Amino acid sequence: MSKGHRARGGRRDVRFGMAELIRDLDRPDGWLLSVDGVAQSYVDLDDPTHLEFDYVRRIGDVIDCLPAGPLNTVHIGGGACTLPRYVAATRPGSRQLVLDPDEELIDLVRERLDLRSVPSLRVRIADGREGLATRNAESADLIVLDAFVSAEMASGMATVEFVRDVRRVLRPHGTYLVNVTDGPGWQFARRVVATVAEVFGSMLLLADPGVMRGRRFGNLVVAASGEALPEAELARRAASAVFPARLVTGAKLSDFYRGSKVITDAEELAAPTPPETAFS
């Protein structure tokens, strides 16, 4: 093990718990970041295009299918900054902003995981909702919401008021990507999708087939835009993946969230958490 590897691992108290960096023994410079035992991020410093978690790979697939060229991107929720590293590697020239309220965690990632080496990336220590409110209208091509406290999604960023602000910041062709976690029945996820549908005209879901059948807790990726999304290419990628995903669009998507109430700022809502101590 190199000196660099020895320096990167370890544990540290951060704002929302105990963070730990664990080396992946199967990859020379792969690292898992967890907080209170819950997996938050995985990065391969030798190959930032390697996306270990299935749901992150689905987000990467959507990004890959967007029109060619650099992207002005806002990431709400930072962790180890897996997706900012991916966008920097696959979309050279992209300008990116990460909004994350956990200063201690970001300092750990800067110190141990070479965050400063990512080109044209800025990190602002801020709540995602407050940070987004400061962005100019029609200034982003892509907004990614992957914000969790331990295993719980930040429900204040699931409301229709927040989604409307996302729409304000996105350019007309821009894309909104959301990582949602939920368990059998998908009561929370259905409401999140109904809320996004209230604001955006084009939308799709990507998820593991077992999760979609309500067999277990897991991740669901929501993609939304004011313009048509690349459904055909995403369907091909989902079907041919090592772990195939299910793509839901059109009438089946409408059936998924039909009757679900839009989430608003007026209610107090707790997002669901998994029965395990970690998810991927």
Side-chain angles (χ1 to χ4, degrees):
M1 185 184 296
S2 73
K3 181 178 179 181
H5 288 151
R6 286 198 301 271
R8 286 184 180 134
R11 295 160 60 89
R12 182 179 298 179
D13 284 318
V14 296
R15 178 177 176 181
F16 297 115
M18 175 62 70
E20 184 172 13
L21 286 171
I22 305 168
R23 186 185 171 201
D24 182 355
L25 298 180
D26 293 327
R27 301 183 73 89
D29 217 357
W31 295 90
L32 175 69
L33 170 66
S34 68
V35 177
D36 287 345
V38 178
Q40 299 289 332
S41 302
Y42 178 100
V43 296
D44 185 332
L45 299 181
D46 290 336
D47 180 10
T49 67
H50 174 73
L51 302 178
E52 181 77 8
F53 296 167
D54 291 344
Y55 85 89
V56 181
R57 179 65 266 173
R58 293 176 194 126
I59 292 175
D61 286 340
V62 177
I63 294 171
D64 290 348
C65 292
L66 298 179
L71 298 169
N72 280 3
T73 303
V74 178
H75 302 267
I76 302 171
C81 293
T82 306
L83 285 167
R85 297 171 197 264
Y86 183 82
V87 170
T90 61
R91 303 276 185 145
S94 294
R95 299 177 62 185
Q96 302 187 82
L97 172 67
V98 169
L99 301 171
D100 195 295
D102 195 331
E103 185 172 8
E104 293 84 2
L105 181 63
I106 293 299
D107 284 345
L108 175 66
V109 174
R110 283 195 180 108
E111 175 188 327
R112 303 289 182 91
L113 297 181
D114 298 339
L115 188 58
R116 290 186 177 89
S117 69
V118 182
S120 300
L121 174 65
R122 294 185 297 126
V123 180
R124 179 180 299 171
I125 305 304
D127 170 82
R129 186 158 181 172
E130 294 173 359
L132 190 71
T134 68
R135 308 308 297 162
N136 292 331
E138 298 188 6
S139 60
D141 302 301
L142 175 67
I143 295 176
V144 181
L145 173 62
D146 189 7
F148 286 76
V149 176
S150 187
E152 183 176 333
M153 180 182 177
S155 58
M157 286 176 277
T159 70
V160 70
E161 290 86 355
F162 175 76
V163 179
R164 286 174 183 146
D165 205 35
V166 168
R167 188 71 188 88
R168 177 189 67 81
V169 175
L170 281 173
R171 291 167 178 159
H173 65 274
T175 301
Y176 182 39
L177 290 170
V178 188
N179 172 36
V180 185
T181 58
D182 203 355
W186 288 102
Q187 294 305 310
F188 177 69
R190 292 177 196 275
R191 293 194 64 190
V192 170
V193 175
T195 303
V196 175
E198 185 79 5
V199 178
F200 287 93
S202 181
M203 191 166 61
L204 58 82
L205 304 183
L206 288 161
D208 176 272
V211 173
M212 287 303 297
R213 287 193 289 267
R215 293 179 179 174
R216 62 178 178 83
F217 195 97
N219 300 78
L220 179 151
V221 172
V222 182
S225 178
E227 299 184 359
L229 290 161
E231 295 179 8
E233 176 61 17
L234 284 170
R236 185 191 67 77
R237 286 181 176 234
S240 62
V242 175
F243 297 101
R246 182 178 173 189
L247 176 72
V248 184
T249 61
K252 290 184 178 179
L253 179 57
S254 297
D255 289 342
F256 177 80
Y257 67 85
R258 181 172 287 114
S260 298
K261 184 180 177 183
V262 169
I263 302 168
T264 72
D265 285 345
E267 65 179 296
E268 293 185 7
L269 179 67
T273 57
E276 312 87 17
T277 58
F279 62 91
S280 63

